[in-house]
Amino acid sequence: MSAMTVEAAVAHVLATNPTFAVAPTEIRGVTYKAFQKIPPTIPALMAAGMAQHDNGASHYLLYEGERWTYGEFCAEVHRVSHVLVDTFGIGKGDRVAIAMRNYPELMTLVLAISATGATVVFVNAWWTTQELEYALSDSAAKLVFADGPRTERLLPLVDDLGLTLVGVRDAGDGTGHDYTALQTAASDAPLGIAIDTDDDFAVMYSSGTTGHPKGVVQTHRSAVNAVFSWLLQAVIAPLVTPLEQDAPPAPRPSALVVTPLFHVTATHPLFLLSLIAGARVTLLRKWDAEEAVRLIQTEKITRFLGVPTQSAELMMAARKAGASLETLDYVGSGGAKRPGAQVAQLAKAFPNAGIATGWGMTETNALGIGMIGDDYVNRPESAGKLHPPVQELRLLDDNGNDVPLGELGEITVKSPANMRCYLNKPEATAETMQDGWLRTGDLAVMDAEGYVTILDRKKNIIIRGGENIACLDVEGALHRLPDVIEACAFSVPDARLGEVVGACVQLHEGATLDLEQMTRALKGHLASFKMPQHLWTQSEPLMRGATDKLDRRGLRAACLDDT
């Protein structure tokens, strides 16, 4: 078979495979292109995956020596869903929070909560008690499943917020409820609760320019449309790059999860996709490049998706171990842009793998732009092309007009994978979502072939190793310090993490503040990953622009020139 272009392969699959049928669909008064034959909800996605996992008999999940078949995993999901309904009275319209590191129970809970018709609230496991308080108050989640460290941070909030805590793994006896004890004796029959495809599936918090994170409301339809957009990429792959006639059958897909499951980079294109793709999942408890190399070798991992720092460290660890990691067929990055020079290095280090990049947002259920293989090697600074077939893309100026090819505009996308809204923030929703089009805040140019290169951000966001940090969040914490008159946060280039937080502050006359003092003073008020790692101080007012607003870019440039 001769190779097809991506566009021809997509057209062929859409015309011949009913699973991927697409048609105009009205959603909340707006017409989108959407899949027509896919599972309508997350519970239906899990049920449809049974056939892809040898009717449940296939090994599905590995965590530090613990293994589940797909059937065993689904049975636990059903038991937990019964516990939610029978013990805690959870039902449609409720919100249930998950606060823990990457434990298998997190995956189980996502599906179990969904099966009740309730909404999953993903809580960032690195947040302080104050940050947790905001998210739980904002989401009105009263039931929280938490591991040990998160339980310690949540206990001070129990009375004021009326929380019920269920302990997972190392949570001990402090919660009064134990996940394992509750679910062991429950029924493993499916609940069978009717859920609409446009019901809310999840709330994921994404750092925004307002300081407090925004709760991104994702529906069942939006998540599943994103999943099937990625599944289509796997279906067209052999049409775009045909296998040799004598090539052995492709191995069963197997993903290593190395980024937090409370972010879309791990939940959607790895965990949720694995359900319908028949893929195995291995959870890494904590990022360790040498352990990742070992697991890739012993578990025959085919898919690695992490922030750019992790793929670089994986490459170095593999080189140190003399390991070729020949089972890898995909090495992707998400959450932050990979340095262009690293692309060719990875392609040389992992010749069997397609080196890939992707751009997506919590607001798009991680769906967006991407590319793989030679396309990426030849365009290492680009983000790639729009993933087909349900998305539409425009680059707009400040007045909402399309910009010509090659000119800078704001990435604006329309698809059924877009969020429903920002929770409790109608003004922010109206500003971001306009007639179905989502204005992303990322500025880019597009060439005649459709390749998009992201050049800047309108939003005051720092991306540290894949974690979004709002500048206003950092500045708000710095303003707590009595000697600080004014503060400005900005990104500082970092060889390992891409960007870290820097800050310049104006101090009262005669006051002093160094990095160590600042870090001590902000501990408990600012999550560690948000803590400034570079600090500049001055007694004169901070640089301002023509409109008397802080000149963030100018101040950043001046500080970096001063290092």
Side-chain angles (χ1 to χ4, degrees):
M1 179 199 297
S2 58
M4 296 183 182
T5 65
V6 170
E7 292 74 15
V10 170
H12 173 76
V13 172
L14 295 185
T16 60
N17 189 333
T19 298
F20 296 99
V22 172
T25 304
E26 186 173 305
I27 306 169
R28 296 182 294 279
V30 177
T31 300
Y32 299 84
K33 296 186 296 182
F35 291 114
Q36 302 297 299
K37 304 292 185 182
I38 63 176
T41 65
I42 295 298
L45 184 73
M46 185 185 84
M50 192 67 72
Q52 311 304 319
H53 292 269
D54 194 19
N55 292 321
S58 295
H59 163 231
Y60 172 60
L61 177 60
L62 170 67
Y63 174 76
E64 295 198 329
E66 302 174 52
R67 293 181 185 269
W68 289 256
T69 65
Y70 192 75
E72 291 167 341
F73 174 78
C74 292
E76 184 168 325
V77 169
H78 296 320
R79 291 195 298 272
V80 176
S81 67
H82 279 280
V83 169
L84 288 165
V85 172
D86 299 338
T87 303
F88 298 108
I90 296 299
K92 295 188 72 171
D94 292 325
R95 298 192 185 109
V96 180
I98 306 172
M100 66 186 70
R101 68 181 318 126
N102 277 8
Y103 284 133
E105 289 82 357
L106 195 159
M107 296 170 57
T108 307
L109 282 160
V110 168
L111 300 179
I113 295 165
S114 301
T116 70
T119 303
V120 183
V121 177
F122 289 89
V123 170
N124 190 313
W126 296 329
W127 279 344
T128 64
T129 296
Q130 289 180 330
E131 291 164 319
L132 291 168
E133 181 178 20
Y134 173 80
L136 294 175
S137 299
D138 183 57
S139 66
K142 300 300 184 185
L143 179 63
V144 187
F145 288 79
D147 63 7
R150 264 49 64 177
T151 294
E152 291 180 9
R153 294 176 209 166
L154 287 164
L155 283 173
L157 305 176
V158 167
D159 291 338
D160 286 347
L161 298 185
L163 302 180
T164 298
L165 302 185
V166 180
V168 174
R169 296 273 168 165
D170 57 354
D173 300 325
T175 63
H177 298 282
D178 177 71
Y179 171 94
T180 301
L182 286 169
Q183 65 94 8
T184 300
S187 168
D188 61 6
L191 279 177
I193 291 174
I195 304 168
D196 188 82
T197 188
D198 289 315
D199 285 347
D200 293 345
F201 154 59
V203 176
M204 277 189 161
Y205 280 89
S206 176
S207 289
T209 56
T210 56
H212 283 308
K214 294 196 283 283
V216 177
V217 181
Q218 304 165 342
T219 67
H220 289 266
R221 188 201 298 266
S222 64
V224 179
N225 267 266
V227 166
F228 271 79
S229 296
W230 295 311
L231 188 64
L232 178 64
Q233 308 307 306
V235 173
I236 69 170
L239 302 177
V240 175
T241 309
L243 297 173
E244 300 291 337
Q245 284 191 339
D246 57 350
R252 183 183 174 201
S254 178
L256 181 64
V257 176
V258 299
T259 59
L261 282 162
F262 52 75
H263 285 327
V264 286
T265 301
T267 49
H268 290 52
L270 289 179
F271 166 36
L272 295 181
L273 177 59
S274 75
L275 301 174
I276 197 65
R280 290 186 295 121
V281 173
T282 299
L283 294 182
L284 191 60
R285 182 178 182 274
K286 181 180 181 181
W287 172 243
D288 181 320
E290 293 181 358
E291 177 65 4
V293 167
R294 186 190 71 80
L295 286 169
I296 290 168
Q297 290 178 302
T298 59
E299 298 300 319
K300 296 181 171 53
I301 302 293
T302 65
R303 185 176 177 85
F304 180 91
L305 175 58
V307 297
T309 303
Q310 291 170 319
S311 53
E313 292 178 355
L314 179 74
M315 176 173 60
M316 291 186 288
R319 187 179 297 142
K320 179 180 177 181
S324 62
L325 305 188
E326 66 277 357
T327 62
L328 283 178
D329 61 25
Y330 177 93
V331 176
S333 69
K337 183 182 180 298
R338 178 184 276 132
Q342 194 185 98
V343 180
Q345 296 170 1
L346 289 167
K348 182 178 180 181
F350 306 124
N352 293 343
I355 310 305
T357 187
W359 169 94
M361 304 172 67
T362 309
E363 288 88 338
T364 67
N365 279 263
L367 188 61
I369 296 165
M371 60 181 167
I372 189 171
D374 290 343
D375 278 354
Y376 189 22
V377 172
N378 295 332
R379 302 170 183 83
E381 299 298 336
S382 175
K385 290 184 176 182
L386 193 70
H387 285 309
V390 298
Q391 296 189 101
E392 301 171 66
L393 171 68
R394 300 168 70 191
L395 297 184
L396 303 181
D397 63 19
D398 289 341
N399 296 318
N401 301 313
D402 293 276
V403 301
L405 284 178
E407 292 194 14
L408 191 68
E410 182 179 2
I411 296 176
T412 307
V413 291
K414 180 181 181 181
S415 94
N418 285 352
M419 68 173 184
R420 179 173 70 79
C421 67
Y422 288 122
L423 185 64
N424 303 324
K425 289 180 169 55
E427 291 182 2
T429 300
E431 183 181 345
T432 302
M433 297 288 294
Q434 299 167 5
D435 296 321
W437 290 91
L438 189 150
R439 300 199 67 154
T440 68
D442 286 316
L443 301 176
V445 295
M446 183 166 64
D447 66 18
E449 295 179 87
Y451 288 95
V452 176
T453 301
I454 299 172
L455 297 178
D456 205 349
R457 289 190 295 274
K458 291 178 73 172
K459 301 174 291 185
N460 296 325
I461 293 291
I462 300 163
I463 303 179
R464 177 192 182 277
E467 281 289 338
N468 285 1
I469 301 166
C471 290
L472 291 185
D473 204 6
V474 177
E475 290 162 5
L478 287 166
H479 279 111
R480 298 174 63 94
L481 306 184
D483 288 327
V484 171
I485 299 173
E486 192 169 41
C488 181
F490 45 79
S491 65
V492 175
D494 184 84
R496 179 172 174 269
L497 296 168
E499 296 176 344
V500 294
V501 181
C504 183
V505 298
Q506 180 192 3
L507 300 176
H508 287 291
E509 192 70 38
T512 60
L513 181 69
D514 62 26
L515 198 63
E516 184 179 347
Q517 292 169 329
M518 177 209 68
T519 303
R520 266 200 320 270
L522 294 184
K523 187 175 181 180
H525 299 294
L526 196 64
S528 58
F529 71 92
K530 300 178 185 178
M531 199 72 72
Q533 295 184 28
H534 301 270
L535 180 67
W536 290 263
T537 64
Q538 59 188 57
S539 57
E540 63 270 17
L542 301 185
M543 185 184 300
R544 289 183 133 66
T547 60
D548 205 35
K549 292 183 179 179
L550 279 177
D551 184 357
R552 193 181 307 276
R553 292 186 183 184
L555 187 59
R556 174 183 184 272
C559 289
L560 294 182
D561 285 345
D562 193 39
T563 55

